[in-house]
Amino acid sequence: MKITDVRAYVVEPFTWEWAGITRPLRWMFLRIDTDEGITGWGEGSSFPHHGSEMVGLGALAAKELLIGQDPTNIEVLWQKMFRRHTSVGARGITSAVVSAVDIALWDITGKAAGKPVYELLGGKMRDDVDMYANGWFDNCVTPEQYADAARNVVLPAGHTALKFDPFPEHEDGFLSGGLTEEGTEKASDIVKAVREVVGRNHEILIDAHGRFNVPTAVRLGNRLFDESNIGWFEEPVPAESNAALELVRPQLRAPISVGERLFTRFDFVEIFEKRLTDYVMPDICLAGGISEMRKIANMAEAYHLPFSPHNAQGTLQIVSGAQLCMTLPNFYRLEHAMTHISGYNRFLTEPLNFHDGKLTLSDKPGLGVEMDVEEIERSSIEIEWPENLN
Ligand SMILES: [Mg+2]
């Protein structure tokens, strides 16, 4: 079997509103065709600010390497794609491109073998995949609104773990690294209100989105842990600085989760060696696809660290992540945004099977889903490589 074509589509499933700002959300689906009529699909989405378009263009730049290759030679193609761009930094855009291609190659390989990807990865360790809920608090501002959303959206879906960012005033990202007294009190009140609704047996995971400086991260994380027993404090400091994380670590009582902005197993070496985290949460569309996520999960397993993929993008991110999570002994939970469910399903011929806070995969070959090609082609922008660069 040989690869005959690589195409990239950018879709906009919906616009997303949070903290009073409306932003377009875009996903990049990658399609790889073969001479045996098998088509594989991958995803390389990166939100926001045209990240998906950048990855789509990068994937088309890899086309000349992929055409004519056997798509079931996943590891050698991974290594070739990754190594050819180390001069510009193979972690980042390159790693995202490799991720999208890798997911599509696993889809093809599974379809060719007539088996779901989880069987090719060693078989099932569980029948379905535990999820945690994000994206359930859109437009919430007050503690009462967060509490109502937890009660009316999260609990009826059967979730026993939920995540949110209670620091919306800091939406502009890392500027000062601090948080006002008013913002601190508000975050404290929001988390307490949610804890009161969900009770003691639910996990409350707090996302700091890498915005805070060291003393602020320590102050906030400890306060929320002491008051509301949060399950983890995610990305307490900017992802660029393991040195900052090293300063935070011994001062913070809350467990830490990091990884959504780390790329490939190489970025995780220092995290593991310096014992900088309690949970490992790489992103399958950025960290290197199914192949690389499995390696990072295996490294985490050697440290007895739970593996809990970041999952804030589209249809094939959640499906490929779930395929992998079916097979891992150290799996904790897979993230998903509840507001994305209609978007996931929009590009599939059959909806995903969410129930009781879990996702159950089909036993169909490959990723186990059929893309709605008509809907993708109708509603997407197909990214094209400039002809004069061929
Ligand atoms: Mg996060």
Side-chain angles (χ1 to χ4, degrees):
M1 182 162 45
K2 299 233 179 311
I3 294 172
T4 54
D5 200 7
V6 180
R7 296 162 77 173
Y9 302 89
V10 171
V11 298
E12 191 170 305
F14 44 79
T15 53
W16 187 54
E17 192 175 325
W18 185 59
I21 304 169
T22 302
R23 288 156 280 209
L25 186 91
R26 290 183 185 144
W27 299 336
M28 193 282 283
F29 294 136
L30 189 73
R31 169 181 175 165
I32 297 184
D33 293 323
T34 66
D35 61 357
E36 292 190 10
I38 296 176
T39 292
W41 288 86
E43 181 175 337
S45 304
S46 179
F47 166 75
H49 308 310
H50 299 294
S52 290
E53 289 89 332
M54 290 164 74
V55 179
L57 265 178
L60 295 179
K63 188 172 170 179
E64 47 96 10
L65 181 148
L66 293 168
I67 299 283
Q69 298 293 318
D70 180 343
T72 65
N73 282 336
I74 300 174
E75 184 65 25
V76 72
L77 291 175
W78 195 104
Q79 296 288 347
K80 280 183 177 176
M81 284 187 292
F82 183 73
R83 300 286 167 200
R84 74 205 300 244
H85 290 300
T86 49
S87 297
V88 291
R91 286 168 267 180
I93 294 286
T94 301
S95 170
V97 167
V98 174
S99 303
V101 173
D102 179 89
I103 292 167
L105 297 182
W106 277 104
D107 190 26
I108 292 171
T109 303
K111 286 171 177 168
K115 292 182 175 181
V117 168
Y118 62 73
E119 281 195 25
L120 303 185
L121 294 173
K124 290 199 259 188
M125 293 215 54
R126 50 191 58 82
D127 290 327
D128 37 38
V129 177
D130 283 336
M131 312 296 294
Y132 72 79
N134 200 342
W136 51 272
F137 51 90
D138 287 10
N139 301 317
C140 291
V141 176
T142 66
E144 294 73 27
Q145 289 169 334
Y146 275 87
D148 284 346
R151 184 183 299 111
N152 299 327
V153 180
V154 178
L155 294 184
H159 286 293
T160 54
L162 72 167
K163 188 166 93 179
F164 58 107
D165 178 334
F167 316 108
E169 82 168 53
H170 230 272
E171 173 53 15
D172 285 342
F174 188 81
L175 295 173
S176 73
L179 188 69
T180 63
E181 193 53 36
E182 189 188 350
T184 303
E185 291 303 319
K186 190 172 170 188
S188 162
D189 289 345
I190 289 171
V191 180
K192 279 194 272 191
V194 172
R195 171 58 77 198
E196 201 170 313
V197 167
V198 302
R200 294 169 63 179
N201 295 328
H202 285 60
E203 298 274 3
I204 294 180
L205 313 172
I206 297 299
D207 194 348
H209 281 118
R211 298 195 195 102
F212 299 119
N213 58 33
V214 170
T216 306
V218 170
R219 176 170 62 81
L220 292 174
N222 283 340
R223 178 162 175 180
L224 298 179
F225 181 71
D226 293 344
E227 290 177 347
S228 299
N229 191 28
I230 60 173
W232 80 39
F233 195 50
E234 177 175 323
E235 290 196 314
V237 288
E240 297 79 16
S241 179
N242 286 345
L245 199 55
E246 206 174 344
L247 290 172
V248 165
R249 179 68 162 159
Q251 303 182 69
L252 193 65
R253 291 187 284 283
I256 291 175
S257 182
V258 295
E260 73 177 75
R261 277 174 266 218
L262 299 176
F263 303 89
T264 74
R265 79 207 91 136
F266 305 109
D267 274 359
F268 283 88
V269 170
E270 194 178 355
I271 298 290
F272 293 129
E273 287 188 345
K274 292 187 172 173
R275 320 288 196 261
L276 296 181
T277 198
D278 298 283
Y279 291 84
V280 181
M281 48 159 295
D283 184 313
I284 202 163
C285 291
L286 301 174
I290 293 171
S291 303
E292 193 68 4
M293 290 284 274
R294 187 188 193 197
K295 291 173 183 173
I296 298 165
N298 294 160
M299 288 165 76
E301 186 192 350
Y303 289 85
H304 292 284
L305 291 176
F307 187 78
S308 191
H310 175 253
N311 191 87
Q313 307 294 336
T315 311
L316 294 174
Q317 183 187 43
I318 191 168
V319 170
S320 59
Q323 288 281 343
L324 174 68
C325 293
M326 290 282 283
T327 70
L328 298 174
N330 55 328
F331 170 61
Y332 169 65
R333 281 182 171 91
L334 177 62
E335 179 177 18
H336 80 299
M338 296 185 74
T339 44
H340 286 23
I341 292 174
S342 62
Y344 301 146
N345 291 335
R346 177 173 165 186
F347 303 108
L348 296 173
T349 56
E350 288 177 37
L352 297 177
N353 181 10
F354 288 100
H355 62 94
D356 306 311
K358 299 171 190 292
L359 172 62
T360 300
L361 292 174
S362 81
D363 57 2
K364 291 178 182 166
L367 295 176
V369 293
E370 194 179 326
M371 301 305 285
D372 186 339
V373 182
E374 243 173 59
E375 176 62 14
I376 291 170
E377 292 191 335
R378 191 187 63 76
S379 61
S380 71
I381 307 156
E382 185 172 352
I383 303 280
E384 290 182 10
W385 188 250
E387 258 180 51
N388 57 0
L389 288 185
N390 283 336

